Amino acid sequence: MAVVQQEPGTEERILAAARRVFIRKGMAGARMQEVADEAGINKALLHYYFRDKQRLFEGVFKGGAEKQFGCIWNSFNDSTELFDAIERFVAAYIDRMLEEPLLPLFIAQEMSRDPEGLRAFVDRGQASRQRFIRLVEEALAAGAIIDIDPRDLLVNMMALCAHPFVARPMLTHIHGMNDEAFRRMMLKRRKSVPEFIIRSIRA
Amino acid sequence: MAVVQQEPGTEERILAAARRVFIRKGMAGARMQEVADEAGINKALLHYYFRDKQRLFEGVFKGGAEKQFGCIWNSFNDSTELFDAIERFVAAYIDRMLEEPLLPLFIAQEMSRDPEGLRAFVDRGQASRQRFIRLVEEALAAGAIIDIDPRDLLVNMMALCAHPFVARPMLTHIHGMNDEAFRRMMLKRRKSVPEFIIRSIRA
DNA sequence: ATCTGTTTTAACCAATTGGTTAATATTGCG
DNA sequence: CGCAATATTAACCAATTGGTTAAAACAGAT
């Protein structure tokens, strides 16, 4: 049975446009008229399909954690050894965020504005964080790494991955980078960050 | 001549209140009525003293980089050796940000919204970053560290210092921390982050 | 006490915002 | 084709927002 490629319907077009505007401006800064303009529709349609701004936001982001972040957290499932896990995590994180460089700052902003709003994004990683902690404990037991709290290590990994995206305008200003140069820098970090981490923790 | 402690005038009260609201909500999210409420004044006074929202924002933040960040960047001036510089920088950064934990996220947001707006915050550190680069080069020449780009090292240091503040709501949720526990975590990192970095780069 | 300049207030304004309404257009089915 | 349900539109609404205005209050000097 052949699957026929379909023109996106109005609802899909709204969700995609809303996503772009919300990520760029945040929930509070996004304007419904702006979303309508971005989707090429009359503003009243936003209310017809999604009733109000909050439901539109939820329509875009609720239940989306798997799609947004699954590939990153799933990277731990593919490893049976800590150093490999670190390499895979960093690579997966940077690859994913290079698709949407504004996402880390958006999530930080929205978590600050409404901590309950994006809980799914955070809770999605719970099982994977546990798996990571076990990998660290195994490496400790094997004497492969120094004594370090797995949670501290995970904070450091997240910091080294996420911060350049959050501080992107500052970094591009300081170093006179355009978007392509930023991308190249992150691709370099895809290798150098795991090296930096592993050098630090190796016994 | 004795200096008499003075009651803050209306202008000072406005600036302090505006600062709190801007840092909490960002420039776009802050409401003039909210600033007036926070300062305990009539909203029209904001316009009497500062004419409009943009000038109020500039009144709070322009020219303030030295006071906000001087202590952090000045930490490089007190060191003649790289490892000491790293320790002093991390300590100064964390101490300063523990006074205003919302500041890193605010700066990231505002740099994203209006990159020209807070240039002074970024440019303030230029001479100090040069000094840091020289310290790295001296350590390289002395064979004390591995071959690493000073700018990469500085990004990593900033990441490990700033990210927990930016991701504070996420971290407090994941680890079930209150504000006091977050503070204790950062005080631990005040020592563990320099150790992590130095272990990674030491030759 | 009077005068002048400054500060403060309450009321007001125009524009913007998220949302509503009623009419119109479209779609799919029998 | 007619009908009913759905989708779309333009106009409208009430509330909020940053800002304005004129009057009143205050402060200091003479």
Side-chain angles (χ1 to χ4, degrees):
Chain A
M1 179 173 329
V3 177
V4 181
Q5 183 78 352
Q6 285 207 332
E7 186 85 5
T10 300
E11 188 170 335
E12 277 73 46
R13 281 166 51 212
I14 291 175
L15 286 170
R19 178 188 176 82
R20 293 193 293 273
V21 176
F22 281 137
I23 290 183
R24 197 159 64 223
K25 299 288 181 71
M27 162 73 169
R31 295 291 170 257
M32 295 295 263
Q33 185 59 58
E34 190 177 359
V35 174
D37 293 341
E38 181 99 11
I41 57 157
N42 185 289
K43 178 164 71 78
L45 280 190
L46 301 180
H47 302 281
Y48 177 79
Y49 281 94
F50 293 97
R51 183 75 175 278
D52 61 30
K53 193 177 185 181
Q54 179 65 27
R55 286 184 177 86
L56 176 60
F57 187 84
E58 288 167 6
V60 174
F61 293 109
K62 284 284 167 73
E66 180 61 36
K67 204 171 60 163
Q68 309 300 330
F69 288 95
C71 60
I72 297 174
W73 292 117
N74 287 341
S75 68
F76 286 143
N77 298 338
D78 302 329
S79 299
T80 55
E81 186 273 313
L82 178 62
F83 292 176
D84 185 56
I86 291 169
E87 284 165 358
R88 285 173 182 269
F89 179 83
V90 174
Y93 188 97
I94 290 177
D95 287 346
R96 176 69 190 87
M97 294 305 137
L98 280 174
E99 292 168 6
E100 291 189 275
L102 295 179
L103 199 50
L105 180 56
F106 165 78
I107 290 166
Q109 281 177 259
E110 292 303 315
M111 283 298 293
S112 183
R113 184 187 64 86
D114 173 24
E116 291 302 305
L118 295 174
R119 281 190 67 150
F121 276 61
V122 182
D123 292 343
R124 163 64 184 85
Q126 176 65 2
S128 302
R129 283 192 289 273
Q130 289 305 316
R131 171 142 182 77
F132 176 77
I133 287 171
R134 280 197 297 276
L135 288 177
V136 174
E137 283 163 355
E138 286 165 11
L140 273 168
I145 61 173
I146 62 160
D147 186 18
I148 185 169
D149 187 330
R151 283 166 304 177
D152 285 345
L153 179 54
L154 192 51
V155 170
N156 289 354
M157 283 165 59
M158 290 299 309
L160 292 163
C161 291
H163 178 75
F165 292 102
V166 168
R168 191 169 68 136
M170 211 173 316
L171 292 175
T172 54
H173 169 68
I174 290 175
H175 299 305
M177 290 193 262
N178 59 21
D179 285 353
E180 181 53 34
F182 178 81
R183 181 184 176 79
R184 266 186 272 116
M185 178 185 90
M186 292 315 297
L187 290 176
K188 273 178 55 187
R189 288 181 71 82
R190 195 177 184 281
K191 284 199 175 294
S192 68
V193 165
E195 287 170 2
F196 186 84
I197 292 165
I198 290 167
R199 268 200 312 269
S200 184
I201 64 174
R202 182 182 271 140
Chain B
M1 180 170 333
V3 178
V4 181
Q5 183 79 353
Q6 286 205 331
E7 187 85 5
T10 300
E11 188 168 337
E12 278 72 46
R13 281 167 51 213
I14 292 175
L15 286 170
R19 178 189 177 81
R20 293 193 292 272
V21 175
F22 281 137
I23 289 182
R24 197 157 66 225
K25 298 287 182 71
M27 163 74 169
R31 295 292 170 255
M32 296 296 261
Q33 184 60 59
E34 190 179 0
V35 174
D37 292 341
E38 181 98 11
I41 56 158
N42 184 290
K43 179 163 71 74
L45 280 191
L46 301 180
H47 303 282
Y48 176 79
Y49 280 96
F50 292 97
R51 182 76 173 278
D52 62 29
K53 193 177 183 180
Q54 178 64 27
R55 287 185 176 84
L56 176 60
F57 188 84
E58 289 167 6
V60 173
F61 293 108
K62 284 286 168 73
E66 180 60 38
K67 205 171 59 165
Q68 310 301 330
F69 287 96
C71 59
I72 298 174
W73 292 118
N74 286 342
S75 69
F76 286 143
N77 297 339
D78 301 329
S79 298
T80 55
E81 186 270 315
L82 178 63
F83 293 177
D84 185 56
I86 291 168
E87 285 165 357
R88 284 174 185 269
F89 179 84
V90 174
Y93 188 97
I94 289 176
D95 287 347
R96 176 69 189 85
M97 292 306 136
L98 279 173
E99 291 167 8
E100 290 188 278
L102 295 178
L103 199 51
L105 180 57
F106 165 77
I107 290 168
Q109 281 177 260
E110 292 303 313
M111 283 299 293
S112 182
R113 184 188 65 87
D114 172 24
E116 290 303 304
L118 294 175
R119 281 190 67 149
F121 276 62
V122 181
D123 293 342
R124 164 63 183 84
Q126 177 63 2
S128 302
R129 283 191 290 273
Q130 290 305 316
R131 170 140 183 79
F132 174 77
I133 287 170
R134 280 197 297 277
L135 288 176
V136 173
E137 284 164 354
E138 285 165 14
L140 274 168
I145 62 173
I146 61 159
D147 187 20
I148 185 169
D149 187 330
R151 283 165 304 179
D152 286 344
L153 179 54
L154 192 51
V155 170
N156 290 355
M157 283 165 58
M158 290 299 308
L160 292 163
C161 291
H163 179 75
F165 291 103
V166 170
R168 191 169 69 137
M170 212 174 317
L171 291 176
T172 54
H173 169 69
I174 290 175
H175 300 303
M177 290 193 261
N178 61 20
D179 285 354
E180 182 50 36
F182 178 80
R183 182 185 173 80
R184 267 186 273 116
M185 177 184 93
M186 292 316 296
L187 290 177
K188 273 177 54 185
R189 289 181 70 84
R190 196 176 182 282
K191 284 201 175 295
S192 68
V193 164
E195 287 169 1
F196 186 85
I197 292 166
I198 291 168
R199 266 197 316 266
S200 184
I201 64 174
R202 182 182 271 140

